[in-house]
């Protein structure tokens, strides 16, 4: 691969709210294995406290997703504020997100037919993201200077790929809620996440038993009527199920309960779903601003096999998830072909998603031998009740990777870094710099 990145533009530092920010745009290969091939643009925002020394060590942030852009900070607060006490931070918009050659249905359409679009998207997984980061490191820091990686959720997956193939670029690694199942098939992962979704539903209905009938009423109304969302597509029971994504975050049960509180109003024809409710449902169940999340979600697990809509296949093993089950079960981030029908802006990508689901020659994302022999210090937090990244596989990976210290807690859900970021990052940094054993390692 070509190691150096070509800066397209780097802005002067801008001072705001006690921080200095600089924008960096880089020209990078679409396919790092091809010399002088097609290029894309990758964006990263450099941020440091006002007056910070140029000698501060660097940290690079990998966002969750897949398909999520980096945060747009407004000041020295939260986990970013904690990092800036000791580091200069680079917020990377992973390729296809934010200002990095963004992937949307309308931009993909310029590539040609569905096969051409799918071929293009094969270069938007963790292996390519890590190679982008290495090129940027060489350009901004120099080949000899390393940085620390911090990754939330899918960002942690990316860092395990980084440790597999380019550990020479890393001084250390912090992972928040994203210790990937490096040894397991995608179906093994979804079997556990389905069970955790069922557990969250049980807890939800125990806490709000009055919502059992309320949810049934909503589903019945959706099934028996042509309920149109603001975008002009019909609201289906399957799309309504996807609101279970709420359950993966802190206060998620409450968010669901409050959403349903005023679902119905009395209209001209009698009892009907309120327009405000439908607006909120569409907003909460839409992946249209991040199509990568939907059409490439299962590929983040694939190494040498086709995922073939694994989560959808496994629904048969969990009859509780049927929309006509006695108690309606909300699901999580299990993507399915029906999403390409239910989400208007994603409808043009239906064939593209199918091609990617049937692709069987995905490359390696992890080097298990290299991970076992890893010497880069890794400090991770895993959430015992995590609905998205099962603790069982997180612990298995932590046992396999060398020099890995894991903090397991049920104090937070998957979004812990957004709830109590300074405390979490502070402890992870302390753990990273302390060679004494902690947790599993």
């Amino acid at each position: 691969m070509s190691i150096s990145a070509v800066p397209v533009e780097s802005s002067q530092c801008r001072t705001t709210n006690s921080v200095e920010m600089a924008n960096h745009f880089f020209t990078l290969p679409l396919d790092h294995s091809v010399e002088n091939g097609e290029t894309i643009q990758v964006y990263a925002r450099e941020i440091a406290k006002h007056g910070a020394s140029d000698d501060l060590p660097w940290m690079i942030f990998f966002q969750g997703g897949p398909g999520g852009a980096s945060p747009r900070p407004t000041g020295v607060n939260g986990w970013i504020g904690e990092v800036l006490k000791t580091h200069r931070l680079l917020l990377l918009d992973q390729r296809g997100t934010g200002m990095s050659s963004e992937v949307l249905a309308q931009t993909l359409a310029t590539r040609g037919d569905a096969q051409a679009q799918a071929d293009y998207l094969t270069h938007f997984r963790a292996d390519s993201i890590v190679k982008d980061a290495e090129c940027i490191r060489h350009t901004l820091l120099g080949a000899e200077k390393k940085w620390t990686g911090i990754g939330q959720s899918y960002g942690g997956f990316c860092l395990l790929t980084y440790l597999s193939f380019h550990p020479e670029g890393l001084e250390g690694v912090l992972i928040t809620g994203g210790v990937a199942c490096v040894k397991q098939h995608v179906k093994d992962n979804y079997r556990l996440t389905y069970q955790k979704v069922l557990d969250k539903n049980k807890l939800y209905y125990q806490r709000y038993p009055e919502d059992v009938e309320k949810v049934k009423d909503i589903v019945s109304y959706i099934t028996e009527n042509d309920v149109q969302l603001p975008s002009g597509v019909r609201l289906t029971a399957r799309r309504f199920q996807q609101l279970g994504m709420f359950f993966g975050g802190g206060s998620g049960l409450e968010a669901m309960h409050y959403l349903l509180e005023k679902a119905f109003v009395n209209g001209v024809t009698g009892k009907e779903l309120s327009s405000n409710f439908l607006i909120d449902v569409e907003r909460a169940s839409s992946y249209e601003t991040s199509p990568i999340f939907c059409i490439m979600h299962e590929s983040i697990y694939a190494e040498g096999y086709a995922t073939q809509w694994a989560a959808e296949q496994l629904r048969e093993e969990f009859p509780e998830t049927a929309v006509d089950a006695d108690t309606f079960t909300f699901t999580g981030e299990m993507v399915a072909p029906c999403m390409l029908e239910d989400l208007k802006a994603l409808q043009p990508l239906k064939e593209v998603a199918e091609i990617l689901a049937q692709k069987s020659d995905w490359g390696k994302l992890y080097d298990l031998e290299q991970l076992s022999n890893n010497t880069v210090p890794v400090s991770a937090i895993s959430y015992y009740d995590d609905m998205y990244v099962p603790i069982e596989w997180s612990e298995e990976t932590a046992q396999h990777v060398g020099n890995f210290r894991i903090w397991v807690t049920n104090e937070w859900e998957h979004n812990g870094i957004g709830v109590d970021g300074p405390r979490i990052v502070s402890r992870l940094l302390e753990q990273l710099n302390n060679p004494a054993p902690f947790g599993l390692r």
Side-chain angles (χ1 to χ4, degrees):
M1 87 180 192
S2 176
I3 284 295
S4 61
V6 179
V8 176
E9 173 188 342
S10 292
S11 72
Q12 295 294 319
C13 286
R14 179 177 302 162
T15 302
T16 176
N17 293 335
S18 301
V19 298
E20 295 177 353
M21 300 187 193
N23 298 318
H24 299 287
F25 294 88
F26 303 93
T27 297
L28 294 168
L30 170 65
D31 183 346
H32 283 274
S33 68
V34 176
E35 292 286 342
N36 302 316
E38 181 179 353
T39 61
I40 60 172
Q41 181 174 276
V42 173
Y43 167 79
R45 176 179 279 108
E46 177 186 348
I47 178 171
K49 292 184 73 172
H50 180 53
S53 168
D54 291 339
D55 295 328
L56 274 181
W58 283 72
M59 187 177 291
I60 179 172
F61 176 68
F62 293 85
Q63 176 64 285
S70 254
R72 268 48 185 170
T74 57
V76 185
N77 49 36
W79 70 266
I80 290 178
E82 190 64 30
V83 168
L84 295 184
K85 290 179 180 178
T86 53
H87 290 76
R88 184 176 299 274
L89 180 63
L90 192 71
L91 298 170
L92 174 68
D93 277 356
Q94 297 163 20
R95 53 171 57 197
T97 75
M99 292 196 287
S100 294
S101 294
E102 190 173 17
V103 168
L104 297 171
Q106 64 197 109
T107 62
L108 285 174
T110 66
R111 306 295 306 182
D113 63 14
Q115 185 63 59
Q117 294 177 43
D119 291 344
Y120 177 71
L121 288 173
T122 61
H123 303 294
F124 284 75
R125 298 200 308 160
D127 48 354
S128 296
I129 292 168
V130 164
K131 290 170 184 174
D132 290 345
E134 268 298 273
C135 289
I136 292 171
R137 180 181 68 87
H138 278 244
T139 300
L140 288 183
L141 281 67
E144 302 305 318
K145 193 171 182 180
K146 303 179 181 183
W147 53 16
T148 296
I150 177 171
Q152 159 64 12
S153 190
Y154 173 64
F157 290 35
C158 292
L159 281 167
L160 288 172
T161 301
Y162 210 146
L163 287 170
S164 292
F165 302 113
H166 292 285
E168 71 278 4
L170 294 166
E171 188 75 34
V173 166
L174 306 180
I175 296 176
T176 64
V179 182
C181 50
V182 298
K183 293 183 175 182
Q184 302 299 326
H185 190 279
V186 62
K187 286 188 175 181
D188 297 316
N189 184 73
Y190 280 125
R191 281 192 177 92
L192 275 181
T193 54
Y194 265 117
Q195 186 56 55
K196 293 183 185 299
V197 163
L198 296 181
D199 293 342
K200 294 290 187 182
N201 275 268
K202 182 178 179 180
L203 181 61
Y204 172 66
Y205 287 126
Q206 286 176 344
R207 186 172 299 180
Y208 299 107
E210 67 272 25
D211 286 357
V212 174
E213 290 303 317
K214 184 175 293 184
V215 169
K216 282 185 179 180
D217 289 345
I218 293 171
V219 174
S220 294
Y221 189 90
I222 290 170
T223 304
E224 297 167 6
N225 297 274
D226 183 11
V227 178
Q228 295 289 310
L229 291 169
S231 64
V233 296
R234 181 174 181 173
L235 173 60
T236 65
R238 285 291 301 270
R239 180 163 182 172
F240 185 59
Q241 275 190 307
Q242 293 163 21
L243 294 177
M245 286 284 284
F246 278 131
F247 295 163
S251 302
L253 306 186
E254 285 64 42
M256 178 72 81
H257 176 68
Y258 296 145
L259 174 66
L260 304 182
E261 270 187 335
K262 297 183 67 176
F264 287 102
V265 294
N266 290 318
V268 173
T269 60
K271 183 179 178 182
E272 59 187 49
L273 291 173
S274 80
S275 58
N276 284 348
F277 173 75
L278 294 177
I279 290 170
D280 289 341
V281 167
E282 179 159 64
R283 185 183 297 117
S285 63
S286 176
Y287 305 106
E288 293 166 309
T289 59
S290 179
I292 286 177
F293 182 91
C294 177
I295 63 178
M296 296 195 68
H297 197 278
E298 292 191 351
S299 77
I300 70 173
Y301 300 97
E303 296 182 283
Y305 62 83
T307 58
Q308 298 179 315
W309 301 108
E312 185 70 2
Q313 290 185 46
L314 287 177
R315 280 179 72 99
E316 297 180 2
E317 297 182 18
F318 298 88
E320 303 95 326
T321 62
V323 295
D324 58 354
D326 291 341
T327 300
F328 187 79
T329 296
F330 292 98
T331 53
E333 60 179 8
M334 295 80 171
V335 297
C338 66
M339 295 171 68
L340 280 301
E341 296 285 353
D342 293 343
L343 301 169
K344 187 173 184 179
L346 298 190
Q347 289 173 357
L349 301 178
K350 183 176 181 180
E351 187 178 353
V352 178
E354 187 61 35
I355 292 171
L356 292 172
Q358 302 306 324
K359 178 180 170 62
S360 60
D361 59 348
W362 293 108
K364 296 290 291 181
L365 292 172
Y366 309 112
D367 183 329
L368 294 183
E369 182 176 0
Q370 175 62 37
L371 289 175
S372 179
N373 296 324
N374 174 62
T375 59
V376 178
V378 183
S379 176
I381 181 172
S382 287
Y383 309 110
Y384 186 80
D385 300 314
D386 199 319
M387 194 176 80
Y388 305 128
V389 184
I391 186 61
E392 293 86 345
W393 301 144
S394 295
E395 290 182 328
E396 178 185 76
T397 298
Q399 292 281 14
H400 177 83
V401 180
N403 208 18
F404 197 112
R405 284 168 288 280
I406 185 171
W407 167 22
V408 178
T409 177
N410 64 357
E411 189 169 355
W412 301 281
E413 295 284 352
H414 187 74
N415 64 336
I417 192 174
V419 175
D420 203 356
R423 182 177 164 200
I424 289 172
V425 168
S426 174
R427 180 161 174 179
L428 289 179
L429 283 170
E430 180 182 356
Q431 186 172 301
L432 185 72
N433 297 321
N434 183 358
F438 186 91
L440 291 176
R441 289 242 181 174

